[in-house]
């Protein structure tokens, strides 16, 4: 038997559909498409893990204050049931963000030209609720390096874990050391929407969030 690689990426997944209201997925997708702000970002944040050949990427994001106003039930779940599930994934007490701007964001990809920036997280637990499904072969999977301290998508691809989004699945992980990005969608008319939620812990509090990150992500 081979010895498992201690650095291999670990994630937890729940089927959260029983916690969600009727028609939640189409509601979230329509809200995201109506409210997302497009930005051209340079991958220069302290959390960026792009290769040197990449000088800009397009992002489509709905900031947390807009989510709080338009989808208050989603913010409620973040602060209650989703937090309780996140807590089952770590022994440290978890806290939701006090700043709505990055507590809950909606990240959108449209068509085959976009992909989410390669980066590491600054928070100890990230929660992702998928609002759209992207089976293997259709693009849109989360690609996470199994090694730590890697830069660039080709290096990440060399040894990675791929998480294929399924609508209603809620995943949690600590990706502070494992660089990750979202693969482009294959179809030119495809749409991907994910609810991204930040949780914090005493050993990695909200106050340690990098100062440049809100501007970088376009959620100031
Ligand atoms: Fe991330």
């Amino acid at each position: 038997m081979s010895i498992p690689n201690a650095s291999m990426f670990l994630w937890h997944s729940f089927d959260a559909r029983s916690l969600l209201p009727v028609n939640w997925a189409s509601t979230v997708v329509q809200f995201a498409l109506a409210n997302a702000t497009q930005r051209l970002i340079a991958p220069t944040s302290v959390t960026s893990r792009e290769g040197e050949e990449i000088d800009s990427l397009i992002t489509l994001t709905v900031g947390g204050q807009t989510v709080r106003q338009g989808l208050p039930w989603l913010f409620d779940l973040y602060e209650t049931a989703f937090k309780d599930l996140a807590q089952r994934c770590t022994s440290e007490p978890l806290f939701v963000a006090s700043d709505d701007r990055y507590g809950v964001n909606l990240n959108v990809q449209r068509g085959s030209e976009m992909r989410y920036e390669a980066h590491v997280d600054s928070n100890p637990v990230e929660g992702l609720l998928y609002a759209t499904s992207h089976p293997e072969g259709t693009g849109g999977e989360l690609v996470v390096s199994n090694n730590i301290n890697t830069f660039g998508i080709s290096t990440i691809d060399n040894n990675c874990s791929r998480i294929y989004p399924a609508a209603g699945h809620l995943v949690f992980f600590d990706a502070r050391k494992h660089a990750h990005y979202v693969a482009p969608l294959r179809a030119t008319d495809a749409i991907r929407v994910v609810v991204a939620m930040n949780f914090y812990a005493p050993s990695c509090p909200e106050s340690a969030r990098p100062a440049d990150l809100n501007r970088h992500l376009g959620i100031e």
Side-chain angles (χ1 to χ4, degrees), residues 49-112:
R49 292 295 182 272
E50 289 288 345
E52 291 179 353
E53 72 283 6
I54 302 297
D55 52 22
S56 66
L57 288 161
I58 294 172
T59 65
L60 260 178
T61 303
V62 183
Q65 291 168 325
T66 303
V67 177
R68 167 83 83 178
Q69 289 172 359
L71 302 172
W73 55 269
L74 192 53
F75 240 97
D76 287 346
L77 285 168
Y78 164 60
E79 294 170 339
T80 58
F82 291 173
K83 175 174 170 283
D84 291 344
L85 291 175
Q87 190 64 73
R88 289 175 59 186
C89 304
T90 179
S91 57
E92 254 201 298
L94 292 180
F95 302 95
V96 298
S98 63
D99 188 326
D100 281 354
R101 289 178 297 175
Y102 49 79
V104 180
N105 287 170
L106 305 180
N107 294 329
V108 180
Q109 274 180 222
R110 299 193 74 156
S112 56

Side-chain angles (χ1 to χ4, degrees), residues 116 119-121 126 173 175 180:
Y116 199 86
H119 67 284
V120 291
D121 293 345
E126 179 70 4
F173 51 76
H180 52 289

Side-chain angles (χ1 to χ4, degrees), residues 16-24 73-74 77 82 129-130 168-169:
R17 288 176 292 180
S18 64
L19 302 171
L20 291 158
V22 174
N23 296 329
W24 70 274
W73 55 269
L74 192 53
L77 285 168
F82 291 173
L129 172 67
Y130 290 109
H169 283 194

Side-chain angles (χ1 to χ4, degrees), residues 9-14 85-86 88-90 170-174:
F9 185 65
L10 168 71
W11 74 94
H12 306 267
S13 184
F14 297 92
L85 291 175
R88 289 175 59 186
C89 304
T90 179
L170 175 61
V171 303
F172 296 103
F173 51 76
D174 174 356

